[in-house]
Amino acid sequence: MNYTVRDQAGVREVELRGQLTFEANDAFRQIIDGMEKDGIVECVLNLGGLDFIDSAGLGLLVLANNAGNRVSVQLKMKHPRGQVRDMIEISEFHTIIPCEF
Amino acid sequence: MSSDRTAAAAAPDAARAVGGQRVLIAHPRPPALAVLRAALSTIGVRAMDVAQDTDTLLAMVAQGAPDLLVLHLGILTDGLDLLARLRALPGMRDAPILVLGRFAGAGERLALMKAGATDLIPRPVTRPELAARLRVHLENRALNRSLQAVIGSLQTYHTGAVQRMTLARDMQLDLLPTLAECGGLERRYAIRLDSHFESSSELGGDIWGARALDDHRFAVFLCDFTGHGVAAALNTFRLHALLTKIALPGDDPAETLAAINGLLVGLLPETQFATMIYAVIDVRAGTVVYATAGAPKPIIGRPDGGLEVGASVGLPLGVSPKASYRNRAMAFPPGSFLFLFSDALFEARDWEGQIFGYQGVVDLVSGLDEDADLEGGPLRQLLERYFTSMPRPLADDLTALWISRRPDPPGDPD
């Protein structure tokens, strides 16, 4: 997985690309570190470029959401597609992290 | 436990410095040893023993192999077979044996090496050169010893780890229903119940179970904890203990999942959770009622050969205390089957790295032979075909359950 970060008026958009699995652990933890330190109020994960997520990837989303709750950064997701959308719907992750489909 | 401690204690002994090593010198004329003694003192060797003849030499080596044995050529006048006899003594197979002397020529040097000498030191030799050569052999000896101690300790650890893993794996398999228990359910409810449980390593994060509820209903579940290996396996033991010790509303899948979720929230670490499907099959009503917590969609086969993919929506277990679950009911008349499986089945990658995909599972099920029942069962046929294109071992734990209801006997008026 790789990603790009864009900040605008306290809102960070992180565009994820590739596969969100255990191998993405290090990169994803950098994103979480940034959420905690960079003084933003909202972080939107753009999943449009993500083509696969597994349960380890869902675990990373839980981790990011819990970190966001601790430092009062609202985490959101948007535009999941294909298998990623299926996984989010099956696991109802949009009920814990707001998701724009 | 005790074997680990023994292995760890071996290391400091093996790592002794050159100065702490024991050197044995065999020389027919000990007064001529001054240069050798001085050279050994220079490099810090304090433990020096001297043997003046072969019998004393063999007796001293037999009492304990030295770290370095220096033989004066004069001790070998009775023949080179002394070298072979020394090599045969305990601890001497790899010990350095140096021969010091004035050699007659290349032939004699070669014969000494073939007979078992590690190296030859031709005289005349200066004290610094002698010291340098002795040091090289003592350092090699110390390195070899510590390497052997490390290898020995790794072997001990590995043997112990394999034994512990085997025991743990047996314990994990004991969590699953036995063949006799499955047979009991098969007879009581006129079903066929096939299962497959395959961990990606010694231990896995999957668990399944089945139990009778009453004369016409039984429950079956499949649960998959995130990750695999030891940590995930520990969670399966947690769940098994919870399921056996706590009274659950076992005939209501949604309430059962909510109750288990309530127990697992706070018990599991932050990034760990479980997906689970819990189904109640009623052979009198001809229905299956199930609820899912992030589990893969179940596949139901109809008596007419049609397939239906059941819906699946629900938060995985252990993520949120507020999670609630929904029951879904589907017709399950005689001749139907229910296929449940963990995500490893469709998330696995083939030799080219392509993900198998959920649709691949649906295609595999619809392509099964109608008489698969006769060929060891539909699940066996499905997995045989699956593994012709999928490499083992899988990256994740695979559990699959296939429950089919026997068709009504033909011509039965009921």
Side-chain angles (χ1 to χ4, degrees), chain B residues 12-24 40-49 65-68 134-135 138-139 141-142 145:
Chain B
D13 182 46
R16 273 180 308 171
V18 166
Q21 290 179 303
R22 193 169 73 87
V23 176
L24 177 56
L40 286 165
S41 309
T42 314
I43 57 173
V45 173
R46 289 179 298 277
M48 268 178 267
D49 297 312
D67 295 300
L68 174 64
L134 293 169
R135 176 194 279 281
L138 283 168
E139 282 175 352
R141 180 64 173 162
R145 281 236 167 131

Side-chain angles (χ1 to χ4, degrees), chain A residues 19 21 29 52-56 58-60 62-63 66-67 70 83 86-87 89-96, chain B residues 225-227 270-271 273 275 292-297 312-316 319-320 324 326 343 347 349 355 396:
Chain A
Q19 309 196 335
T21 61
R29 281 176 193 263
F52 182 77
I53 187 170
D54 64 3
S55 54
L58 291 177
L60 291 172
V62 174
L63 199 66
N66 292 349
R70 277 196 295 273
Q83 183 267 353
D86 284 351
M87 274 292 266
E89 287 177 346
I90 286 173
S91 60
E92 274 196 321
F93 261 48
H94 52 282
T95 64
I96 53 167
Chain B
F225 284 89
T226 43
E270 205 173 16
T271 54
F273 49 78
T275 65
T292 57
K297 297 169 184 168
S312 172
V313 175
L315 263 180
V319 174
S320 165
S324 64
R326 274 149 288 178
D343 55 7
E347 286 183 358
R349 289 162 196 271
I355 291 166
D396 196 3

